[in-house]
């Protein structure tokens, strides 16, 4: 492939990351390339510059190719600037949404938190962290090979009554595993004294809805019963997840003790103190009328996950919709969504947050990230590192205030 063709490919990828299409089908096609380009923009910029210099020295770079390379480099710089801007944006949002009195107790932002984590960009797909040990494939359920979870803890010390995070993976309810999402966040929290739990759950269509939320509830019940053996505090559990995992995390947080989702363990405590869903699907019933929600309901969740149509069982869709399960007793929420999400429209998060703020008695924080694509935190990047640090800061504050009886009760 010649220099001009290589630069045209990179230019197309950059344009897709800057302005991804938002239609249901075109957005799904744009998502993978947009995610990789947006989060790996520094590496792609370095390759573009290196390729341009080498091609010029070899006299294989014509003016058209150089013009495209220059325009592409400008676009990649814009993506990098948007990622770096997250470091201030999320902290400002948390401070604003908590209010002056509560936000005054947030830990100060350190120079480390503001610094761009360039060293992480060398190995963005690395999963292991020398600061963290992982107990793998512990069984929480007898539901075949999917009833397994992993526990992340500090490698250098034992814990007692440590705060607990439960991570729910995404994958459209039909694929994915505990080894794929939330790794940067769990490594960061575990290294700083948390116990983090990542669980598999049964997947559709082999196991249709509500198998997925039942397994998430079983995970919470297992955590409440067993996590003290691993140094965790069963009385302080928060839940997080992305995409389908964001939907399941939000739904679990809003439905503690719901017997429909706890068959055979109706009396188990499945409550959480806070929820941090990322780019979640909140309007399964499409009650908002959003086009994206209607498409997910009628073209994906209904036929592939629930194995029913809206017309046949509307009440089941409503039970599965976090937007319609909000009560005044909803726990504290930190909702995160990318404004450039081409897979799950940011409008779903906006509607969900608006409803939470209107009904819930507890705190609601909403961080909408400019330029961020779906699954932006799948691996280490500038944006994901800043978001992880902001979540850690928020959860550290939340845990301290919960201990003081001020939030999450």
């Amino acid at each position: 492939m010649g220099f001009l063709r290589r630069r045209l490919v990179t230019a197309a990828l950059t344009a897709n990351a800057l302005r991804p299409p938002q239609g249901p089908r075109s957005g799904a096609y744009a998502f993978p390339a947009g995610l990789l380009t947006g989060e790996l923009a520094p590496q792609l910029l370095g390759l573009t510059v290196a390729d341009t210099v080498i091609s010029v020295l070899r006299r294989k770079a014509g003016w058209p190719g150089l013009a495209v390379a220059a325009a592409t480099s400008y676009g990649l710089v814009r993506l990098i600037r948007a990622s770096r801007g997250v470091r201030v944006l999320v902290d400002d949002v948390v401070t604003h949404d908590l209010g002056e009195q509560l936000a005054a107790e947030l830990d100060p932002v350190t120079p480390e938190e503001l610094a761009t984590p360039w060293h992480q960009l060398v190995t963005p797909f690395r999963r292991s962290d020398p600061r963290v040990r992982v107990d793998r494939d512990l069984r929480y359920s007898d539901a075949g090979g999917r009833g397994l979870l992993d526990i992340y803890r500090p490698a250098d010390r034992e814990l007692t009554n440590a705060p607990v995070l439960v991570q729910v993976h995404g994958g459209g309810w039909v694929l994915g595993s505990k080894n794929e999402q939330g790794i940067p966040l769990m490594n960061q929290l575990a290294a700083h004294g948390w116990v983090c739990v990542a669980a598999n759950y049964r997947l559709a269509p082999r196991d249709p809805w509500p198998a997925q939320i039942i397994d998430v509830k079983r995970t919470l019940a297992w955590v409440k019963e067993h996590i003290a053996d691993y140094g965790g505090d069963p009385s302080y559990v928060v839940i997080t997840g992305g995409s389908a995992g964001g939907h399941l995390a939000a739904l679990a947080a809003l439905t503690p003790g719901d017997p429909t989702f706890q068959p055979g363990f109706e009396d188990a405590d499945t409550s959480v103190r806070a929820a941090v869903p990322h780019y979640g699907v909140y309007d399964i019933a499409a009650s908002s009328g959003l086009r994206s929600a209607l498409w997910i309901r009628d073209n994906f969740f209904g036929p592939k996950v629930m194995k029913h149509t809206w017309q046949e069982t509307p009440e089941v869709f409503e039970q599965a919709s976090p937007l319609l399960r909000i009560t005044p007793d909803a726990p504290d929420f930190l909702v995160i969504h990318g404004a450039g999400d081409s897979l799950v429209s940011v409008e779903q998060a906006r509607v969900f947050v608006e409803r939470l703020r209107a009904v819930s008695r507890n705190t609601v924080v909403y961080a909408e990230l400019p330029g961020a694509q779906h699954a932006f935190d799948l691996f280490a990047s500038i944006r994901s590192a800043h978001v992880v640090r902001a979540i850690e800061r928020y959860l550290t504050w939340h845990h301290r205030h919960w201990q003081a009886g001020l939030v999450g009760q």
Side-chain angles (χ1 to χ4, degrees):
M1 183 183 292
F3 175 72
L4 177 58
R5 289 185 178 180
R6 291 196 299 272
R7 295 306 100 226
L8 287 172
V9 170
T10 308
L13 292 171
T14 304
N16 176 65
L18 286 168
R19 292 187 177 276
Q22 295 297 314
R25 296 190 182 278
S26 58
Y29 289 120
F31 153 62
L35 167 65
L36 292 172
T37 304
E39 301 309 311
L40 299 177
Q43 294 90 333
L44 196 55
L45 176 62
L47 291 173
T48 298
V49 171
D51 186 33
T52 301
V53 171
I54 292 172
S55 296
V56 167
L57 293 176
R58 292 179 175 177
R59 298 183 179 181
K60 294 183 178 181
W63 286 111
L66 292 174
V68 174
T72 302
S73 298
Y74 172 72
L76 291 169
V77 168
R78 284 183 56 191
L79 291 171
I80 294 169
R81 285 178 176 172
S83 296
R84 296 183 67 187
V86 168
R87 62 183 181 177
V88 175
L89 182 145
V90 179
D91 284 314
D92 287 349
V93 164
V94 171
T95 301
H96 175 270
D97 286 354
L98 290 179
E100 183 177 345
Q101 184 175 357
L102 289 176
E105 301 297 325
L106 285 165
D107 291 336
V109 180
T110 66
E112 179 190 26
E113 289 175 315
L114 291 175
T116 299
W118 297 109
H119 64 285
Q120 295 184 16
L121 305 185
V122 178
T123 55
F125 301 108
R126 182 179 179 180
R127 296 304 205 195
S128 62
D129 187 320
R131 304 171 299 170
V132 176
R133 58 173 166 160
V134 185
D135 301 290
R136 297 196 182 277
D137 294 333
L138 304 176
R139 181 163 293 281
Y140 74 87
S141 165
D142 59 1
R146 298 294 299 181
L148 303 173
L149 56 79
D150 298 339
I151 297 180
Y152 292 66
R153 294 181 285 168
D156 60 352
R157 63 191 185 278
E158 297 296 328
L159 299 173
T160 303
N161 291 327
V164 180
L165 175 89
V166 173
Q167 155 70 29
V168 186
H169 71 78
W173 308 275
V174 299
L175 52 85
S177 81
K178 56 186 171 60
N179 306 316
E180 296 170 358
Q181 277 189 300
I183 306 300
L185 177 60
M186 289 191 293
N187 281 337
Q188 178 79 2
L189 289 177
H192 290 93
W194 283 64
V195 177
C196 299
V197 179
N200 283 336
Y201 52 83
R202 286 171 291 171
L203 301 174
R206 176 177 176 176
D207 293 292
W209 183 267
Q212 296 71 39
I213 187 63
I214 290 172
D215 286 357
V216 172
K217 295 278 195 169
R218 284 193 182 278
T219 299
L220 289 170
W222 186 96
V223 166
K224 296 295 181 76
E225 184 176 354
H226 298 286
I227 205 63
D229 297 336
Y230 299 87
D233 181 358
S235 64
Y236 185 85
V237 178
V238 300
I239 192 166
T240 188
S243 193
H247 162 257
L248 293 167
L251 186 62
L254 293 168
T255 59
D258 185 335
T260 303
F261 298 149
Q262 297 183 203
F265 59 110
E266 291 87 354
D267 295 332
D269 179 10
T270 57
S271 63
V272 298
R273 301 298 179 181
V276 188
H278 296 51
Y279 42 88
V281 183
Y282 305 111
D283 191 14
I284 294 295
S287 59
S288 66
L290 292 172
R291 186 165 66 109
S292 63
L294 286 165
W295 191 93
I296 291 173
R297 185 192 75 184
D298 295 337
N299 295 278
F300 192 85
F301 195 86
K304 298 183 184 299
V305 181
M306 194 171 284
K307 310 297 286 185
H308 292 284
T309 67
W310 161 257
Q311 291 76 16
E312 291 170 338
T313 56
E315 69 282 358
V316 179
F317 285 79
E318 291 169 356
Q319 289 176 340
S321 184
L323 182 63
L324 299 178
R325 304 305 300 269
I326 298 170
T327 70
D329 295 325
D332 298 291
F333 265 83
L334 167 57
V335 180
I336 301 174
H337 213 104
D341 193 323
S342 65
L343 206 58
V344 179
S345 172
V346 69
E347 292 176 325
Q348 287 211 33
R350 293 170 182 167
V351 170
F352 181 62
V353 168
E354 181 180 9
R355 177 69 174 165
L356 272 172
R357 287 173 171 166
V359 176
S360 175
R361 289 193 295 257
N362 292 311
T363 61
V364 181
V365 178
Y366 176 49
E368 185 173 306
L369 311 181
Q373 185 44 280
H374 197 75
F376 61 82
D377 62 336
L378 200 58
F379 49 84
S381 69
I382 295 174
R383 180 182 285 108
S384 68
H386 288 313
V387 171
V388 162
R389 288 171 180 170
I391 294 172
E392 180 187 21
R393 184 167 174 254
Y394 167 81
L395 289 178
T396 299
W397 167 89
H398 190 275
H399 181 235
R400 185 168 62 242
H401 276 62
W402 171 80
Q403 290 176 313
L406 299 175
V407 299
Q409 302 302 315

